[in-house]
Amino acid sequence: MELDKPIMKTNMLFLIFGLWVMVVAMADKGITVNTSSSSSSRRPKVVNIGALLTVNSVIGRSVKPAIIAAVDDINSNPSILGETHLNLILHDTNCSGFIGTIEALELMEKEVVAAIGPQSSTIAHVISHVVNELQVPLLSFGATDPTLAALQYPYFLRMTQSDYYQMSAIADLVEYFEYKEVIAIFVDDDYGRNGISSLGDSLAKNRAKISYKAAFTPGASETDISELLTEVNLMESRVYVVHVNPDSGLQIFSIAKKLNMMTSDYVWITTDWLLAVLDSQEPPDSDAMGLVQGVLSLRQHTPNSNYKKTFITKWKNIKEKETNSFNSYALYAYDSVFFLAHAIDTFLKSNPKITFSSDPKLKNNNGSHLQLSALQTFDQGQKLLETLLSTNYTGLTGEIRFDPDKNLVHPAYDVLNMGGTGIRTIGYWSNYSGLSVNSPETLYKKPANSSTSAQRLYSVIWPGETSVKPRGWVFPNNGKPLRIVVPYRHSYKEVVTKDVRSPEGVRGYSIDVFDAAVNLLPYPVPRKYILYGDGVRNPSYSNLVAAVAENIYDAAVGDVTIITNRTRIVDFTQPYMESGLVIVVPVKKSKTSPWAFLQPFTIEMWLVTGGFFLLVGFVVWILEHRLNHEFRGPPSQQIITIFWFSFSTMFFSHRENTVSTLGRLVLLLWLFVVLIINSSYTASLTSILTVQQLTSGIEGLDGMLAKSRIRSLKDSEDYLNALRLGPKLGGVAAIVDELPYIELFMSYTKCEFKIVGQEFTKSGWGFAFQRDSPLALDLSTAILQLSENGELQRIHDKWLASSSCSSKVAEIDVSSLSLSSFWGLFLICGVACFISLSIYFCRVLCQYRRFNPDEEEPHELPEPESARRIERRTFRSTSFKDLIDFYDKKEAEIKEMLKRNRRQVNGHNDSPL
């Protein structure tokens, strides 16, 4: 079909040529050259420019006075074109594509170097082919169809903003107010169709869409429009984007008001046509304002400059005008003339000649009556086009400069809200920074920031005179309930299954949660449950979710796990049930052993503990032997005392008292160590005698990594049989499944099995909806409310009562305590013993150096010199037996002997020589 369009347009063009012949004179005028301009190398005194517009239209009534005023201002200002004057040739297109095309062809006969207009995108499409052939630039102030910027229209220059940017602004508005679907109401012509197509592309970038395109023919009757609005009123979306012509647009709102479609449940957004109507009225007509209360609209943004203020004053003095005010199209038309004048001046400075010549392709070679030779080619048209594209001019609408795609730079729009008797500006949109409450001129001086968080508008008064944002959608009133697919499970039917006795046909935990959440919504949700699967085997949940994404169903309700792959194709609600994968293994009761009391400690722990008992007993005996009579006696008795004291400390039942400071220090630290060892032993022995033991070595996910065989089991009965058989008899060593199912399975089997390890995935169950469904968000809020008020837990307890085995999830196998857990305590105790012994032996050695064993027998007093030699006794003359004998003496005896020795030495020193 796309290949046929050029052929159809060519045929239409030739048909128009034929009709045009009826209008022009039948004789060949033979005009080949504008001799008045070509005969001299001087600048021409007059340059013809054309204008195409519908005079009797909303835009035309504003544009015509503006174009005439622009030509007058240029001709009265010699600084622009010097002695050259513009001759304006204006043709009325009469709001008709056919007549407009005829008028355009007539205008091309008048040797115009450029044409201002047309205001219609439909006429612009046809005329663009003509000006391409005749090389006459076409400067349109009103043709906003985005497709006119195509490369096939090189001589078409859009002097206003493209609808591509306007639709981007509307898409950003839709995203700002968090709507996902809109209904487009538009006129079915090039202007309407291509504009809405651009809107669809812009919405798709923001993950929104046009749910329905409601088109009506140009000049549609009130009945046709009423039927169209009645149809869209039965649909789900309540956000309407209206893209129509200014002359018929208000009729839509008049009918919508009669249909009660201007209430607080609706959102209306219009393109700039609405402001073209209202701005032409000063003040806005009260009847028109009454029709559009709460509507959002756009207006092409023009800076509030002094130049603009001067034009407003000038407008008031224009006599030949039909409106007391003007719209933004008048400003763009005025700037178009001035922009063209400056370009012509630049062109004439480099090439003062303007010539036209016949096109060989337009000659009548076959006797046709079509006067094609009357259409002349502008010889310097390409040069003037290049001059236009390179011209930079600042006018009423701001900077006029073309980008590489021939669009004006800095596209921007005012965002307006109709309320009361006036129009409120609630913000601005520009492709530089998106939505903002600051004018675009101020933002161009700052770094671009179009992030979502930076978007801002002032408050909106919505239809129905409310500041509460409409929800933007309702359930369609077309008798179609929501198609909800439900998995027909074979196992764990408490979650969801078929119910022949229920009117809904389904029952279960998931169904009750969904119904409870829907009941919290402020609007009814008609729904129909559809079973998925045969009930013999559990259905494929991935296929079920895919069916929702493919619009086979509207939603999926059941135990649908939220995983990454599924979130890419559907939208999930807030999880209503936590779910993660866990491992289940068989368990058995531990068998009683006569040697179970040895299991709490490892062999190394037992040996080190026993060694320290003896070590501490021996150290305390050493420290107490000279001071404490309970640690003295025959050797056999002392050995028994060491052993008894050592092991009696295990039960804190030692009867011997310690009297030395060092002995008490060592004993205090050792009793602390004994306390820790006793407590640990008791706890470990209790666990060994009471805790269930696993029948496999699997304690978590790591224990399964070496398993090479993975089997798929059907239901809980298969789980039970496989676990009881075990891997050696054709069963399995462990089961991996989601926690809710495992809890149900554990309740069936009365804790015969056990969960080991932790959940190694974190996920949840949610309800799945088609992408961008507004129900997903509303139901998420409802699920949170169910959780807060306790209703969600009540439903859980009704269907999925907690298993009594759940408290054993954290249990693990008990192993013997090793030395690695206690070596720090033993180290502290050992260091204390060493330090105490070191201090003690140093003290004993110091006493022994001052001790004289011969003083116990009668003898003469030694000479002073020999006495000094005795005092300087060295360890070399000391035998080990003497040292042992010295240590074996009581502390009191040693002290007494040392005192007596000092008195004897002192007495000898005092005797006369």
Side-chain angles (χ1 to χ4, degrees):
M1 293 299 293
E2 292 296 329
L3 295 175
D4 293 337
K5 286 184 178 179
I7 299 175
M8 294 174 63
K9 288 185 176 178
T10 303
N11 293 338
M12 180 180 179
L13 181 60
F14 278 99
L15 174 62
I16 292 170
F17 280 155
L19 295 172
W20 169 68
V21 171
M22 301 177 184
V23 180
V24 300
M26 295 299 296
D28 186 357
K29 295 183 181 180
I31 300 175
T32 59
V33 177
N34 186 340
T35 57
S36 62
S37 60
S38 62
S39 61
S40 174
S41 61
R42 294 180 302 172
R43 289 171 60 121
K45 292 187 176 181
V46 177
V47 174
N48 294 334
I49 64 170
L52 292 168
L53 64 148
T54 300
V55 176
N56 188 25
S57 66
V58 171
I59 294 178
R61 285 187 284 270
S62 289
V63 165
K64 179 183 176 181
I67 293 177
I68 295 173
V71 173
D72 292 342
D73 291 344
I74 292 169
N75 289 336
S76 61
N77 186 354
S79 65
I80 300 177
L81 283 173
E83 297 179 356
T84 303
H85 283 64
L86 296 180
N87 178 35
L88 177 65
I89 303 174
L90 191 149
H91 282 242
D92 186 0
T93 57
N94 290 299
C95 206
S96 167
F98 175 75
I99 297 177
T101 304
I102 297 296
E103 294 293 330
L105 289 171
E106 285 190 347
L107 179 63
M108 293 298 107
E109 183 191 10
K110 306 293 178 60
E111 294 185 345
V112 294
V113 298
I116 307 297
Q119 71 189 58
S120 167
S121 296
T122 301
I123 298 176
H125 272 283
V126 178
I127 298 304
S128 291
H129 292 285
V130 177
V131 298
N132 286 351
E133 187 67 29
L134 301 181
Q135 299 183 12
V136 177
L138 194 63
L139 287 72
S140 177
F141 55 83
T144 57
D145 180 359
T147 63
L148 286 169
L151 295 177
Q152 70 178 127
Y153 306 122
Y155 282 85
F156 176 85
L157 299 180
R158 194 193 328 269
M159 300 301 297
T160 185
Q161 302 297 343
S162 168
D163 277 344
Y164 169 82
Y165 297 110
Q166 181 166 213
M167 296 309 171
S168 296
I170 291 179
D172 285 352
L173 275 175
V174 171
E175 181 185 34
Y176 178 81
F177 292 112
E178 299 178 337
Y179 297 124
K180 293 299 182 182
E181 293 186 4
V182 303
I183 291 178
I185 302 174
F186 62 99
V187 60
D188 193 10
D189 59 11
D190 290 335
Y191 159 75
R193 284 191 304 272
N194 295 330
I196 294 303
S197 176
S198 180
L199 174 62
D201 295 339
S202 298
L203 288 172
K205 295 177 183 177
N206 297 339
R207 288 192 59 187
K209 65 179 181 179
I210 300 175
S211 60
Y212 183 74
K213 295 181 179 180
F216 61 90
T217 59
S221 65
E222 182 176 341
T223 301
D224 293 337
I225 296 176
S226 180
E227 291 177 354
L228 183 68
L229 293 181
T230 301
E231 180 182 0
V232 300
N233 196 31
L234 296 176
M235 298 178 181
E236 180 178 303
S237 179
R238 284 289 188 266
V239 182
Y240 303 127
V241 176
V242 184
H243 184 54
V244 297
N245 295 314
D247 298 278
S248 59
L250 287 178
Q251 186 181 19
I252 293 175
F253 287 101
S254 176
I255 298 172
K257 191 170 184 178
K258 293 178 183 178
L259 296 175
N260 200 30
M261 295 175 65
M262 298 299 296
T263 61
S264 59
D265 294 332
Y266 296 82
V267 177
W268 292 87
I269 303 174
T270 77
T271 51
D272 62 353
W273 67 264
L274 179 56
L275 269 299
V277 176
L278 299 179
D279 286 344
S280 301
Q281 307 164 355
E282 184 61 38
D285 182 69
S286 58
D287 293 337
M289 289 299 300
L291 296 175
V292 293
Q293 291 294 299
V295 174
L296 293 176
S297 187
L298 300 179
R299 177 203 288 140
Q300 295 159 325
H301 176 74
T302 56
N304 193 21
S305 62
N306 292 329
Y307 191 15
K308 182 178 176 180
K309 294 177 182 177
T310 302
F311 178 80
I312 294 174
T313 303
K314 182 182 295 184
W315 180 270
K316 296 178 181 178
N317 298 325
I318 296 177
K319 297 180 179 180
E320 296 181 1
K321 64 177 186 292
E322 299 182 35
T323 60
N324 54 4
S325 186
F326 58 90
N327 52 46
S328 60
Y329 287 99
L331 301 178
Y332 282 101
Y334 187 90
D335 278 353
S336 299
V337 179
F338 264 83
F339 181 79
L340 175 60
H342 283 282
I344 291 174
D345 181 61
T346 303
F347 165 75
L348 291 177
K349 287 178 180 178
S350 61
N351 186 3
K353 291 184 179 182
I354 295 179
T355 59
F356 294 82
S357 60
S358 299
D359 188 342
K361 291 183 270 186
L362 298 179
K363 286 188 177 181
N364 304 324
N365 296 325
N366 55 1
S368 171
H369 293 287
L370 296 176
Q371 303 300 314
L372 300 180
S373 60
L375 298 175
Q376 303 293 306
T377 300
F378 179 24
D379 296 333
Q380 293 80 32
Q382 179 64 32
K383 180 64 177 177
L384 179 58
L385 175 63
E386 295 173 357
T387 305
L388 287 166
L389 291 175
S390 61
T391 299
N392 188 352
Y393 171 72
T394 301
L396 297 174
T397 58
E399 182 182 9
I400 303 176
R401 178 168 53 89
F402 292 103
D403 63 16
D405 295 327
K406 295 198 304 180
N407 290 315
L408 292 181
V409 297
H410 302 321
Y413 289 86
D414 301 336
V415 183
L416 305 148
N417 181 209
M418 315 302 139
T421 59
I423 302 171
R424 295 173 54 239
T425 300
I426 62 172
Y428 306 90
W429 179 91
S430 69
N431 71 327
Y432 184 76
S433 58
L435 297 170
S436 174
V437 295
N438 299 316
S439 63
E441 293 79 27
T442 62
L443 297 176
Y444 295 145
K445 303 174 184 177
K446 303 176 182 178
N449 184 6
S450 57
S451 62
T452 303
S453 60
Q455 307 299 290
R456 186 188 169 203
L457 294 174
Y458 291 120
S459 61
V460 176
I461 303 299
W462 300 96
E465 298 183 359
T466 177
S467 59
V468 179
K469 187 189 76 172
R471 189 170 64 247
W473 67 278
V474 295
F475 273 93
N477 297 324
N478 53 14
K480 294 182 179 179
L482 204 66
R483 300 164 301 173
I484 299 178
V485 61
V486 175
Y488 188 8
R489 293 191 57 89
H490 170 72
S491 60
Y492 304 118
K493 296 185 177 181
E494 296 90 341
V495 178
V496 62
T497 189
K498 180 179 180 180
D499 185 7
V500 295
R501 291 176 293 182
S502 170
E504 296 177 333
V506 290
R507 63 179 175 85
Y509 168 67
S510 298
I511 301 300
D512 280 7
V513 172
F514 183 77
D515 289 342
V518 168
N519 292 336
L520 292 177
L521 300 180
Y523 47 86
V525 181
R527 54 196 180 276
K528 178 183 179 182
Y529 293 106
I530 304 171
L531 291 171
Y532 186 86
D534 55 10
V536 177
R537 296 188 66 87
N538 293 333
S540 169
Y541 282 70
S542 295
N543 294 341
L544 182 146
V545 172
V548 174
E550 294 168 1
N551 197 28
I552 299 175
Y553 307 104
D554 297 312
V557 172
D559 48 337
V560 183
T561 305
I562 303 173
I563 58 177
T564 303
N565 290 340
R566 294 172 184 173
T567 58
R568 294 192 179 104
I569 58 175
V570 297
D571 285 346
F572 280 96
T573 61
Q574 170 82 14
Y576 65 90
M577 178 71 167
E578 292 186 359
S579 174
L581 293 178
V582 294
I583 301 173
V584 176
V585 297
V587 295
K588 64 179 180 179
K589 292 290 184 179
S590 59
K591 297 180 180 179
T592 303
S593 169
W595 302 102
F597 68 91
L598 294 177
Q599 294 181 14
F601 290 159
T602 61
I603 295 176
E604 293 82 0
M605 182 65 181
W606 279 117
L607 293 176
V608 172
T609 302
F612 261 84
F613 271 109
L614 295 176
L615 174 64
V616 171
F618 181 68
V619 169
V620 172
W621 176 83
I622 292 176
L623 299 175
E624 294 289 322
H625 177 69
R626 299 177 64 191
L627 297 173
N628 193 338
H629 70 278
E630 294 182 352
F631 288 87
R632 299 184 66 83
S636 59
Q637 181 182 348
Q638 294 186 49
I639 292 174
I640 293 173
T641 300
I642 291 174
F643 277 92
W644 167 254
F645 179 83
S646 298
F647 291 101
S648 64
T649 56
M650 181 185 300
F651 310 103
F652 306 98
S653 60
H654 52 283
R655 65 174 181 270
E656 293 82 5
N657 294 320
T658 54
V659 297
S660 68
T661 303
L662 294 176
R664 289 176 178 178
L665 175 64
V666 171
L667 183 60
L668 178 64
L669 289 175
W670 175 243
L671 291 178
F672 175 73
V673 174
V674 170
L675 175 64
I676 300 300
I677 293 176
N678 279 345
S679 301
S680 302
Y681 176 86
T682 304
S684 180
L685 182 60
T686 302
S687 300
I688 290 172
L689 296 178
T690 58
V691 172
Q692 293 174 326
Q693 302 297 303
L694 304 181
T695 60
S696 69
I698 298 175
E699 298 181 1
L701 181 62
D702 294 340
M704 301 180 65
L705 296 179
K707 304 297 179 181
S708 60
R709 293 192 62 191
I710 298 177
R711 291 178 52 189
S712 175
L713 301 179
K714 181 179 179 182
D715 51 26
S716 58
E717 292 184 4
D718 285 357
Y719 285 9
L720 182 62
N721 295 332
L723 285 173
R724 284 177 174 172
L725 287 173
K728 295 181 179 179
L729 298 177
V732 296
I735 297 291
V736 179
D737 207 340
E738 295 183 58
L739 181 59
Y741 303 138
I742 294 301
E743 288 182 340
L744 285 172
F745 173 70
M746 301 276 281
S747 65
Y748 298 160
T749 59
K750 299 180 180 179
C751 305
E752 184 179 346
F753 307 98
K754 173 185 170 183
I755 299 174
V756 295
Q758 302 296 323
E759 294 182 50
F760 53 91
T761 62
K762 292 291 185 181
S763 58
W765 293 349
F767 304 130
F769 290 85
Q770 294 180 15
R771 294 298 295 270
D772 303 321
S773 172
L775 256 181
L777 179 61
D778 287 357
L779 277 178
S780 293
T781 304
I783 290 171
L784 290 176
Q785 293 178 3
L786 289 175
S787 178
E788 292 171 357
N789 62 25
E791 182 65 14
L792 191 61
Q793 185 62 43
R794 188 195 65 79
I795 298 174
H796 178 277
D797 295 342
K798 172 185 174 183
W799 291 98
L800 310 173
S802 298
S803 170
S804 59
C805 309
S806 59
S807 62
K808 301 184 181 180
V809 172
E811 290 181 0
I812 58 174
D813 286 339
V814 179
S815 58
S816 300
L817 299 175
S818 65
L819 182 61
S820 61
S821 302
F822 300 94
W823 71 266
L825 289 172
F826 290 124
L827 178 64
I828 293 173
C829 186
V831 170
C833 291
F834 175 77
I835 294 175
S836 299
L837 288 176
S838 299
I839 295 173
Y840 177 78
F841 282 123
C842 288
R843 181 167 168 270
V844 170
L845 289 176
C846 289
Q847 290 179 342
Y848 184 68
R849 290 185 63 184
R850 299 195 303 270
F851 174 67
N852 181 10
D854 296 334
E855 66 182 13
E856 296 182 13
E857 300 178 357
H859 60 277
E860 295 180 356
L861 290 174
E863 294 295 325
E865 185 176 349
S866 61
R868 285 193 294 270
R869 287 197 298 269
I870 292 174
E871 291 177 358
R872 291 194 298 269
R873 167 193 293 270
T874 65
F875 291 113
R876 294 178 182 176
S877 62
T878 302
S879 67
F880 180 73
K881 182 178 181 300
D882 294 338
L883 184 59
I884 294 300
D885 291 341
F886 176 78
Y887 169 74
D888 193 50
K889 295 181 183 294
K890 291 185 178 181
E891 183 75 14
E893 295 178 4
I894 296 299
K895 289 182 178 180
E896 182 63 28
M897 293 173 63
L898 291 176
K899 288 180 182 180
R900 207 165 40 238
N901 188 31
R902 282 197 297 269
R903 286 198 299 268
Q904 291 176 357
V905 172
N906 291 337
H908 177 74
N909 292 336
D910 293 340
S911 64
L913 295 174

